[in-house]
Amino acid sequence: MNRPERVRGATMADVAKRAGVSRMTVSRVLNHEAKVREDTREAVLAAIRDLNFQPNLTARNLVMDGELRIGVVYSNPSAAFMSDFLIGVFEEATSAGARLILVRGEDGHPPSAPELERLLSAGVQGVVLAPPLGESGMACGILRAAGLPLAVVAAARPVADAINVRIDDRQASQTMTARLLALGHRRIGFITGNPDQTASAERLEGARAAIASVDGAELIVAPGGFTYASGLGAAETLLDSAAPPTAIFASNDDMAAAAVSVAHRRHLDVPSDLTVVGFDDTTVATTLWPPLTTIRQPVRQMAAVALDRLIRALRSDDPVSADHILDHQLIERDSTAPPPAAS
């Protein structure tokens, strides 16, 4: 007698692949929904038998009860960035009637594997990954192995087989650097972000591209890590150089705020003696003096769009793979001026 093939740990995604249908179609078959064609239903049931698939009963019950449960996994050292991100997902979840389950990592690192497994056991049907976790192979691997659709926010390069919502980091950085050059700055300090994040490299390349277009312009690079503390050290390094920059472009607002603090400690006026600009346009940009000129990355909108697209995919049987590039904007405030020699 033929026995079903024993596949250890088969997921809903495995069943969908075997049957040649989407994960949502498998879910509909499991929940006995009437709108599935009979031949499709038979193909899914055959795949379930072949793989000896054991459905997650918690997740099934949630679907049958009409509740949509979404995991939100985050770990970002910038409190201002995460505040905007979480407001975006909470507002969208309220509008869509979805329940969010939050899992937090520390200092930009993903939660541990057991923490992610506990999230899966809570019966989530999809997961939103806040930056920089879309670049975590461990986190993505565990969630994909469970057959869960992913929405990734602010990964500079799109993640395969996921909904990606981001801006063009390289172009945004190039736009800001071009503005500094237009003001007359020719020695521009640049504070990089976390070297493990692709957004850091993209923003540096954007600044370099703008610098390369102007004869005599120089980019002085100092390493940072997207934290206020790293911005302090980087700004000190830049201003201690033999020919200090007349402008500092930090890869996020937290590090730009740190650069303003260092300038004040050295009795340098911002912007008369030193121009400082940032990236993100978080609340930090408008809560220090002078308020920062910065690149507006629409963090709340990005988070909301990611959750909206994920929910649409779950409810409509659409493929969970797309790249949504939102617009950035250069916001000019009081931290920029021409260099002292050009005033």
Side-chain angles (χ1 to χ4, degrees):
M1 182 174 104
N2 292 331
R3 294 176 177 269
E5 176 187 354
R6 176 75 174 178
V7 178
R8 186 175 183 81
T11 68
M12 194 177 291
D14 297 326
V15 173
K17 184 176 181 180
R18 174 71 70 96
V21 300
S22 71
R23 184 177 178 275
M24 183 55 70
T25 297
V26 176
S27 177
R28 286 173 176 155
V29 171
L30 290 171
N31 294 319
H32 309 291
E33 294 185 20
K35 59 180 177 178
V36 180
R37 284 177 14 194
E38 192 57 35
D39 58 340
T40 300
R41 187 185 306 278
E42 288 300 324
V44 171
L45 293 174
I48 289 171
R49 289 192 298 271
D50 291 344
L51 296 173
N52 198 16
F53 171 65
Q54 301 297 320
N56 183 323
L57 295 180
T58 303
R60 278 192 62 190
N61 289 337
L62 288 170
V63 173
M64 293 174 71
D65 291 341
E67 181 180 36
L68 196 58
R69 186 174 284 198
I70 305 294
V72 178
V73 185
Y74 67 100
S75 177
N76 193 295
S78 171
F81 184 100
M82 283 314 308
S83 174
D84 283 350
F85 176 89
L86 291 174
I87 289 171
V89 291
F90 277 123
E91 288 178 345
E92 184 61 32
T94 300
S95 174
R99 180 178 177 185
L100 301 182
I101 300 177
L102 306 183
V103 179
R104 179 175 179 268
E106 296 291 338
D107 299 324
H109 299 293
S112 67
E115 288 174 307
L116 292 173
E117 294 292 348
R118 282 194 290 274
L119 174 67
L120 297 177
S121 69
V124 295
Q125 294 150 285
V127 174
V128 177
L129 291 176
L133 299 184
E135 300 177 39
S136 167
M138 183 275 285
C140 289
I142 289 175
L143 298 172
R144 280 201 177 106
L148 288 182
L150 303 180
V152 177
V153 177
R157 295 169 191 163
V159 176
D161 301 320
I163 294 166
N164 293 273
V165 182
R166 59 193 180 97
I167 65 168
D168 187 333
D169 286 90
R170 182 180 301 215
Q171 183 58 55
S173 180
Q174 189 168 345
T175 298
M176 176 62 84
T177 308
R179 177 57 185 150
L180 296 176
L181 291 167
L183 286 170
H185 295 281
R186 292 298 179 266
R187 291 192 311 281
I188 299 173
F190 187 88
I191 303 176
T192 63
N194 188 318
D196 295 331
Q197 297 179 33
T198 54
S200 301
E202 292 292 304
R203 293 174 192 179
L204 177 57
E205 288 307 308
R208 283 178 168 157
I211 290 289
S213 68
V214 176
D215 290 341
E218 179 184 7
L219 193 69
I220 309 165
V221 179
F226 286 138
T227 64
Y228 184 87
S230 70
L232 292 174
E236 295 280 8
T237 298
L238 291 171
L239 295 176
D240 281 338
S241 59
T246 60
I248 292 178
F249 178 10
S251 291
N252 76 347
D253 292 339
D254 285 7
M255 297 190 298
V260 170
S261 177
V262 170
H264 289 167
R265 192 163 64 234
R266 291 175 177 240
H267 306 292
L268 296 174
D269 181 75
V270 177
S272 297
D273 299 321
L274 178 70
T275 280
V276 179
V277 300
F279 199 110
D280 284 338
D281 197 29
T282 58
T283 53
V284 169
T286 55
T287 53
L288 79 162
W289 183 259
L292 282 172
T293 293
T294 187
I295 290 292
R296 176 172 291 165
Q297 178 172 214
V299 178
R300 290 191 192 183
Q301 182 187 2
M302 292 162 70
V305 168
L307 182 56
D308 171 66
R309 299 301 178 185
L310 182 62
I311 290 172
R312 287 190 188 192
L314 288 168
R315 287 178 171 165
S316 69
D317 212 7
D318 290 342
V320 186
S321 181
D323 191 19
H324 304 278
I325 301 178
L326 305 189
D327 292 335
H328 63 269
Q329 186 179 359
L330 195 159
I331 304 298
E332 294 211 50
R333 297 194 178 97
D334 298 334
S335 67
T336 47
S343 298

